[in-house]
């Protein structure tokens, strides 16, 4: 697929990382938290060396609800908040062309990870300053991003605006543990108290503390899960916190511990809230995957135009 050259503003400059080009745009949006973005830039500088089998294995879980009718060789895609670009890399074999954007230094890491992939274009940009015309994309995705943005509903609206009528938006948002036991919720609330402290630590120290938490908080749960799975009690293991990591490597565990305990703005949504927000943004035929990670969902853009000037009707409390 030939990339539609539809930047609506010219890049301020073009950076070259190896063979990759990165289009630099203004990231002075209103709907962003600069400290969170700077922290992600640091995080992805450290965790960017994802090997293809790891991306493939994780991606199969994240994208279980995205079939070839949604993404195929004719699909023009947008990856909002691409981080290292691992999900763009995952979809690049199936998609026509992907525009991957991120406002943080992680876009430089993406330049390295995606080097040589011809059907991905990288841009430094933010969700409310996207340099693309409205109604451009057949498929847009925002994976683990919208819960780190001050106004999640507005961010969702801004993504939907870029999708063609009849096109799709895929999101992954942190969940409120609405489908979990009281014990599970209690353990989560304890971890949230820790996060309020760790997320405010200075950079290098924060990364060391989060590595320690990966070992003393994550690993005990994960090892119990592995033991149960090994003994044939997979269903029981599934009820233990952090089961999702029982088959993941230590790099992913450290990365996610830094994500979880190192990010100061983190919101959470129930399944119903996610469906409601997607409907308000103008999506229909919404499918929420029954599988981990909770919750990832996809919806199709309705044929009518959303009134983008309206205020966010939802104001969910922030956990951060
Ligand atoms: C948890 S990371 C997810 C990265 C990637 N989607 C993934 O799953 O590997 C969240 C990303 O959202 C980006 N982000 C934060 N605020 C944003 C905004 N206002 N617009 C676009 N991206 C944003 C961060 O820079 C960061 O790379």
């Amino acid at each position: 697929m030939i990339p539609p050259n539809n930047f609506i503003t010219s890049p301020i400059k073009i950076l070259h990382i190896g063979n990759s080009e990165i289009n630099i745009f203004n990231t002075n949006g209103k709907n962003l938290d600069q400290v969170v973005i700077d922290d992600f830039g640091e995080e992805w500088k450290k965790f960017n060396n994802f090997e293809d089998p790891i991306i493939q294995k994780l991606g199969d879980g994240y994208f279980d609800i995205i079939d070839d009718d949604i993404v195929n060789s004719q699909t023009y895609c947008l990856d909002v908040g691409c981080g290292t670009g691992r999900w763009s890399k995952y979809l690049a074999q199936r998609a026509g062309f992907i525009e991957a954007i991120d406002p943080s230094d992680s876009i430089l890491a993406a330049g390295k990870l995606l080097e040589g992939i011809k059907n991905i274009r990288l841009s430094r940009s933010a969700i409310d300053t996207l340099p693309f015309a409205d109604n451009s994309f057949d498929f847009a995705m925002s994976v683990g991003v919208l819960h780190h943005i001050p106004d999640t509903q507005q961010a969702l609206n801004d993504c939907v605006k870029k999708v063609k009528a009849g096109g799709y938006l895929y999101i992954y948002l942190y969940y409120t543990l609405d489908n979990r036991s009281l014990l599970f919720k209690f353990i989560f609330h304890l971890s949230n108290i820790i996060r309020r402290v760790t997320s405010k630590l200075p950079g290098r120290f924060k990364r060391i503390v989060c590595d320690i938490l990966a070992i003393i908080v994550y690993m005990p749960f994960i090892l119990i899960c592995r033991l149960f799975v090994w003994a044939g009690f997979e269903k029981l293991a599934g009820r233990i916190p952090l089961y999702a990591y029982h088959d993941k490597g230590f790099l992913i565990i450290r990365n996610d511990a830094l994500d979880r305990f190192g990010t100061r703005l983190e919101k959470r949504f129930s399944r119903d809230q996610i469906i409601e927000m997607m409907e308000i943004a103008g999506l229909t035929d919404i499918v929420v995957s029954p599988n981990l990670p909770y919750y990832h969902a996809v919806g199709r853009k309705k044929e009518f135009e959303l009134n983008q000037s309206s205020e966010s009707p939802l104001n969910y409390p922030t956990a951060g």
Side-chain angles (χ1 to χ4, degrees), residues 31-33 36-38 40-41 43-44 50 62 79-87 101-107 125-128 130 141-150 155 172 174 255 259 263:
N31 196 11
L32 53 80
D33 183 320
V36 168
I37 288 171
D38 292 346
F40 275 119
E43 175 180 332
W44 295 120
F50 298 107
Y62 275 95
D79 181 357
V80 180
C82 65
T84 55
R86 56 185 173 165
W87 305 133
I101 74 101
D102 201 287
S104 76
D105 279 353
S106 66
I107 200 76
S125 170
I127 209 158
D128 55 347
L130 292 170
M141 61 177 172
S142 194
V143 187
V145 177
L146 305 183
H147 45 231
H148 298 305
I149 292 187
Y172 161 60
Y174 285 163
N255 184 183
D259 232 45
T263 309

Side-chain angles (χ1 to χ4, degrees), residues 59 91 128 138 157 164 198 200 215 227 237 241 253 264 270 279 284 294:
L91 284 183
D128 55 347
D138 303 298
N157 296 352
K164 290 176 188 166
T198 48
K200 295 190 178 75
I215 296 166
L227 186 68
I253 294 165
R264 68 171 199 176
S270 68
E279 283 173 349
T284 186
Y294 301 131

Side-chain angles (χ1 to χ4, degrees), residues 120-141:
I120 301 178
R121 177 163 55 186
L122 291 169
S123 298
R124 185 172 204 149
S125 170
I127 209 158
D128 55 347
T129 56
L130 292 170
F132 308 104
D134 292 352
N135 305 307
S136 295
F137 294 93
D138 303 298
F139 176 79
M141 61 177 172

Side-chain angles (χ1 to χ4, degrees), residues 68-191:
D68 289 348
D69 289 340
I70 300 179
V71 175
N72 55 56
S73 60
Q74 299 308 308
T75 314
Y76 183 37
C77 305
L78 173 65
D79 181 357
V80 180
C82 65
T84 55
R86 56 185 173 165
W87 305 133
S88 284
K89 188 170 193 190
Y90 175 81
L91 284 183
Q93 309 143 30
R94 279 163 67 184
F97 193 84
I98 303 177
E99 307 277 5
I101 74 101
D102 201 287
S104 76
D105 279 353
S106 66
I107 200 76
L108 308 177
K112 278 192 210 145
L113 189 76
L114 303 175
E115 200 171 0
I117 303 182
K118 298 264 182 292
N119 62 340
I120 301 178
R121 177 163 55 186
L122 291 169
S123 298
R124 185 172 204 149
S125 170
I127 209 158
D128 55 347
T129 56
L130 292 170
F132 308 104
D134 292 352
N135 305 307
S136 295
F137 294 93
D138 303 298
F139 176 79
M141 61 177 172
S142 194
V143 187
V145 177
L146 305 183
H147 45 231
H148 298 305
I149 292 187
D151 187 338
T152 300
Q153 179 70 59
Q154 186 57 50
L156 195 58
N157 296 352
D158 285 341
C159 288
V160 173
K161 216 167 28 163
K162 300 298 165 191
V163 176
K164 290 176 188 166
Y168 292 86
L169 177 76
Y170 167 90
I171 54 172
Y172 161 60
L173 282 174
Y174 285 163
Y175 73 132
T176 49
L177 291 89
D178 42 319
N179 57 353
R180 296 296 195 175
S181 67
L182 274 177
L183 177 67
F184 212 102
K185 287 181 182 144
F186 176 71
I187 293 169
F188 167 76
H189 282 296
L190 287 184
S191 76

Side-chain angles (χ1 to χ4, degrees), residues 46-51 54 57-58 86 207-223 226 242 244-259:
K46 188 174 175 197
F47 295 104
N48 55 40
N49 198 10
F50 298 107
E51 287 167 9
I54 292 180
K57 187 171 177 197
L58 284 177
R86 56 185 173 165
R207 290 194 290 279
I208 294 170
V209 170
C210 289
D211 275 351
I212 294 170
L213 289 171
I215 296 166
I216 64 171
V217 176
Y218 277 59
M219 285 316 290
F221 284 111
I222 293 165
L223 290 176
R226 283 180 186 164
L242 303 174
Y245 295 99
H246 82 276
D247 57 352
K248 306 286 183 303
F250 192 52
L251 178 79
I252 297 293
I253 294 165
R254 283 173 64 211
N255 184 183
D256 283 10
L258 182 56
D259 232 45

